[in-house]
């Protein structure tokens, strides 16, 4: 059941909060892997559901032409003006909140936290491994057909994905092989990890 994921989600929220609290102002202003967002704006995106009243989400969606990604970007920039410590505190104090986004549910929430955590860490060179059980959940989610907004299904169709540091694989076709973290980010559209992948399918994925 998705409720079984709540302790995993809580642990990842606390992990992001600890990361944000550890960063300098210069690090917080560093561009992340997530589009044009800085590290602080990524944290703001994750904290937004807890610091922005729900009634403000609909106006943001309307102002963005009913583009959910546009609304998220708008809110992330707005909330990102708050002190980083406030964002970390919001994530920590709401770590066990049972927030369940529509469609993607708790697997999507867990995946959002893990992917965005690496979006912040990688450009800063802040190494941090991912928990194997949480990583498996997110990999299953990303290839399972319900990861709307996370994965372009046409991009991964007809490929087999194999993790080298975890007992996990999925799909049929030319093989794309890499660490769990690299595949998590590749499936989520982070092209920076493509050189870390191997197998006959790696070139196919890179070309799409």
């Amino acid at each position: 059941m998705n409720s079984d994921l709540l302790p995993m989600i809580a642990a990842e929220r606390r992990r992001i909060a600890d990361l944000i609290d550890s960063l300098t102002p210069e690090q917080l202003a560093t561009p992340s892997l997530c589009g044009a967002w800085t590290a602080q704006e990524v944290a703001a995106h994750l904290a937004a559901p807890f610091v922005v009243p729900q009634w403000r989400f609909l106006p943001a969606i309307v102002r963005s032409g009913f583009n959910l990604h546009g609304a998220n970007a708008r809110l992330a920039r707005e909330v990102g003006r708050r002190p980083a410590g406030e964002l970390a505190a919001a994530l920590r104090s709401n770590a066990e909140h049972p927030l369940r986004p529509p469609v993607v549910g708790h697997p999507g929430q867990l995946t959002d936290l893990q992917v965005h955590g690496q979006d912040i860490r990688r450009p800063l060179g802040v190494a941090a491994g991912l928990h194997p059980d949480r990583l498996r959940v997110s990999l299953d989610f990303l290839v399972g057909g319900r990861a709307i907004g996370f994965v372009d299904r046409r991009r991964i169709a007809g490929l087999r994905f194999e993790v080298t540091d975890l007992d996990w694989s999925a799909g049929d076709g030319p093989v794309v092989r890499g660490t769990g973290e690299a595949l998590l980010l590749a499936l989520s559209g982070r092209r920076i990890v493509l050189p870390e992948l191997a197998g006959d399918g790696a070139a196919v994925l890179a070309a799409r």
Side-chain angles (χ1 to χ4, degrees):
M1 294 178 60
N2 282 348
S3 60
D4 297 337
L5 302 184
L6 293 178
M8 297 185 181
I9 291 169
E12 287 297 328
R13 286 185 185 138
R14 293 186 179 105
R15 198 172 186 224
I16 296 288
D18 290 345
L19 171 63
I20 295 305
D21 276 339
S22 74
L23 299 181
T24 66
E26 292 76 16
Q27 289 175 314
L28 289 164
T30 299
S32 72
L33 297 185
C34 190
W37 288 355
T38 64
Q40 182 153 335
E41 287 167 342
V42 173
H45 161 69
L46 296 173
F50 311 119
V51 300
V52 177
Q54 287 192 353
W55 62 265
R56 290 187 57 192
F57 279 86
L58 182 57
I61 293 172
V62 172
R63 290 197 302 273
S64 300
F66 294 93
N67 181 309
L68 186 57
H69 289 294
N72 277 334
R74 181 185 294 271
L75 285 171
R77 287 191 294 269
E78 180 180 330
V79 177
R81 300 190 188 103
R82 300 182 181 217
E86 181 180 328
L87 302 177
L91 285 168
R92 192 174 287 110
S93 62
N94 289 280
E96 298 183 17
H97 193 290
L99 174 69
R100 188 179 186 278
V103 184
V104 300
H106 290 142
Q109 178 73 178
L110 178 62
T111 302
D112 206 39
L113 288 159
Q114 292 192 91
V115 171
H116 283 318
Q118 301 310 100
D119 283 341
I120 295 172
R121 292 184 183 98
R122 275 198 164 229
L124 295 175
V126 179
L130 296 170
H131 191 284
D133 290 342
R134 300 171 206 162
L135 184 53
R136 282 193 188 91
V137 171
S138 289
L139 291 169
D140 284 339
F141 166 71
L142 290 171
V143 299
R146 295 186 59 189
I148 297 172
F150 287 82
V151 176
D152 182 343
R153 294 178 65 181
R154 296 168 299 179
R155 184 168 171 265
I156 68 171
L159 296 173
R160 177 174 175 79
F161 297 92
E162 297 181 354
V163 173
T164 56
D165 58 351
L166 194 67
D167 182 19
W168 185 91
S169 61
D172 295 295
V175 172
V176 181
R177 188 178 295 109
T179 65
E181 182 202 2
L183 286 180
L184 175 80
L185 295 177
L187 288 166
S188 304
R190 275 59 174 176
R191 298 186 64 84
I192 194 171
V193 299
L194 291 176
E196 300 173 30
L197 305 178
D200 295 341
V204 178
L205 182 67
R208 290 180 175 176

